[in-house]
Amino acid sequence: MAGKKFVPSQMDICIGEMINLMRNKFGMSQNDLAAHLGVSFQQVQKYESAGNRISASRLHQIADVFQIPVARFFNEIDNGLLIDDAVRKMLKQFLALGTDDRRYILKLIQRLAHSA
């Protein structure tokens, strides 16, 4: 009898996306993160795409690489920051910008929020 096909949960997807966001924030390639974790870059790809579920010990190791508490992965999800598709897309685009562009966009958002 064949095993059941793995279907990622919303939490698996959000944690994978947060790993991708953090990796990009730190300017790391998938190869860089893989080297820190002692896995292949393909495994990092699977974590980020939620193709493979991440064990608690591996998540702790990833948090150590980014120097953040493990709870941050869940706090972001609980706060709804990574569940909304538009927010995920915006964060990915924002992190791809240079520092000056990020500052400009942040000021623009602050100005718009105050005028609303």
Side-chain angles (χ1 to χ4, degrees):
M1 183 170 152
K4 293 181 181 178
K5 184 178 179 197
F6 169 67
V7 178
S9 69
Q10 185 64 35
M11 183 169 287
D12 294 322
I13 293 166
C14 289
I15 288 174
E17 288 177 351
M18 183 159 175
I19 291 168
N20 177 271
L21 290 169
M22 293 299 293
R23 183 178 57 75
N24 285 308
K25 177 181 178 182
F26 284 92
M28 297 176 78
S29 69
Q30 289 179 331
N31 280 323
D32 295 334
L33 181 56
H36 283 288
L37 301 176
V39 299
S40 67
F41 81 90
Q42 291 96 335
Q43 186 62 48
V44 171
Q45 284 178 328
K46 289 177 184 178
Y47 290 152
E48 290 183 2
S49 68
N52 282 5
R53 188 165 283 143
I54 302 170
S55 69
S57 59
R58 181 70 73 202
L59 190 60
H60 186 272
Q61 190 180 12
I62 292 168
D64 282 347
V65 170
F66 298 135
Q67 299 178 341
I68 61 171
V70 174
R72 178 146 176 217
F73 288 99
F74 302 100
N75 292 343
E76 299 295 337
I77 292 167
D78 290 342
N79 291 332
L81 296 177
L82 295 178
I83 294 174
D84 184 86
D85 191 49
V87 172
R88 283 196 306 264
K89 288 177 183 177
M90 185 176 63
L91 279 172
K92 285 181 183 181
Q93 295 298 315
F94 183 78
L95 290 173
L97 298 172
T99 304
D100 290 340
D101 289 336
R102 285 185 194 179
R103 285 187 190 122
Y104 174 80
I105 296 296
L106 183 57
K107 286 179 184 177
L108 177 62
I109 291 170
Q110 290 169 334
R111 192 174 311 132
L112 290 170
H114 284 49
S115 68

